[in-house]
Amino acid sequence: MTFTKLLGCITLLFFTNVCLAQNSYHQQKEYGFNGKIKKVSTYMVYPSKYQIPTDTLAYFARNIMKFSRKGDLVSQEKSYDLPNYLFSQKMKFNGTGKNISYNEESTLNDFPTEHKQYVYKWLNTLSYEIMPTNSEDTSKRIVHLNNDFTIKQVIYKADNLQTKEDVTYFYNDEGQLKEVHYSMNVTKDNETTFTKDVQKIQALDVYNNPTVIYYFATEEGRVPKTVIFKYYEYY
């Protein structure tokens, strides 16, 4: 797993969506969470050779997200513990609705801890850029949203690197999330690679939020490369 990869609907009437985007956007909607979310704890576990994990004891990655009662992201903590790759990141968010900024602290292996600040710059009602406040940092992330505010596409640009990730959601007849497909293009030093990953929902809680997800390298995959467990706390 590379550092880059650390770093995703039914069409309604246009004018209705303009009003919704202006008046009812909050960050919780980007992740498709239902209910009044207070905290989401996500763990990633590798399957063994003969068994798919059913608990988080051997997790290699963790992501803790906390939301306000309004659905604004308050904080996020990520960690990855892999061979030759030890990464941790803490983000503290400020603002509400579309007026968002955050401070980031990250550490990779034995390198010095980095401290950065970012601000959201909205391009239109359903697209925004995440820009570093340090003018010497030329990187930026562009996020495009669907009409229901879930993430549709994420583009990252920095020096000789550019990534583009497209996200497609699939629902069953009851409107419950069934699968999420991720298509990633990575261009580095004028060479482009393409990957496609698929998340298949295995279990939902009473709010129809996914609790167990199998992560496959291809649509036809039979054995997941990762199992994702999610635990929710509600207001």
Side-chain angles (χ1 to χ4, degrees), residues 91-108:
M91 291 175 281
K92 176 66 176 178
F93 287 80
N94 301 294
T96 185
K98 292 187 173 183
N99 183 24
I100 308 167
S101 62
Y102 66 93
N103 299 321
E104 177 185 286
E105 176 184 297
S106 60
T107 304
L108 176 62

Side-chain angles (χ1 to χ4, degrees), residues 119-138:
V119 63
Y120 282 47
K121 177 184 177 182
W122 285 85
L123 306 174
N124 54 55
T125 55
L126 293 173
S127 300
Y128 61 84
E129 293 180 340
I130 301 177
M131 306 287 292
T133 58
N134 183 353
S135 59
E136 296 181 359
D137 186 348
T138 59

Side-chain angles (χ1 to χ4, degrees), residues 33-231:
F33 296 143
N34 302 306
K36 290 287 187 179
I37 297 288
K38 182 177 183 180
K39 180 181 177 181
V40 183
S41 302
T42 303
Y43 299 86
M44 302 177 69
V45 187
Y46 285 130
S48 65
K49 186 175 182 179
Y50 302 105
Q51 186 176 9
I52 294 177
T54 58
D55 57 52
T56 63
L57 292 177
Y59 75 88
F60 69 88
R62 182 178 67 177
N63 183 8
I64 308 296
M65 306 174 72
K66 295 181 180 179
F67 293 88
S68 71
R69 289 183 178 273
K70 295 181 179 180
D72 299 308
L73 192 55
V74 175
S75 65
Q76 185 172 13
E77 295 184 13
K78 300 179 182 180
S79 64
Y80 290 82
D81 190 353
L82 298 165
N84 302 315
Y85 191 94
L86 187 62
F87 175 79
S88 65
Q89 183 182 69
K90 296 181 180 180
M91 291 175 281
K92 176 66 176 178
F93 287 80
N94 301 294
T96 185
K98 292 187 173 183
N99 183 24
I100 308 167
S101 62
Y102 66 93
N103 299 321
E104 177 185 286
E105 176 184 297
S106 60
T107 304
L108 176 62
N109 295 335
D110 295 326
F111 292 101
T113 299
E114 293 186 350
H115 298 269
K116 297 182 179 181
Q117 294 179 318
Y118 296 89
V119 63
Y120 282 47
K121 177 184 177 182
W122 285 85
L123 306 174
N124 54 55
T125 55
L126 293 173
S127 300
Y128 61 84
E129 293 180 340
I130 301 177
M131 306 287 292
T133 58
N134 183 353
S135 59
E136 296 181 359
D137 186 348
T138 59
S139 66
K140 67 178 178 179
R141 185 175 288 107
I142 304 170
V143 179
H144 299 290
L145 305 176
N146 291 302
N147 292 319
D148 62 354
F149 309 111
T150 53
I151 294 175
K152 178 181 181 180
Q153 184 185 75
V154 179
I155 299 172
Y156 177 77
K157 298 179 179 181
D159 296 332
N160 297 323
L161 173 68
Q162 178 172 319
T163 69
K164 183 180 74 170
E165 184 175 45
D166 294 292
V167 188
T168 307
Y169 306 84
F170 297 88
Y171 300 85
N172 61 21
D173 293 337
E174 287 73 41
Q176 298 170 325
L177 185 61
K178 180 181 178 182
E179 295 183 3
V180 185
H181 293 200
Y182 298 87
S183 300
M184 172 77 81
N185 282 287
V186 179
T187 301
K188 185 175 182 179
D189 298 326
N190 297 320
E191 293 186 7
T192 301
T193 58
F194 175 80
T195 59
K196 186 169 185 178
D197 297 319
V198 177
Q199 290 189 5
K200 296 186 178 182
I201 312 304
Q202 304 299 306
L204 301 166
D205 71 1
V206 295
Y207 291 94
N208 285 330
N209 288 314
T211 56
V212 181
I213 304 169
Y214 287 178
Y215 200 90
F216 296 90
T218 65
E219 293 184 56
E220 297 77 22
R222 302 181 66 179
V223 178
K225 66 178 184 180
T226 306
V227 178
I228 301 171
F229 297 92
K230 288 181 174 290
Y231 301 91

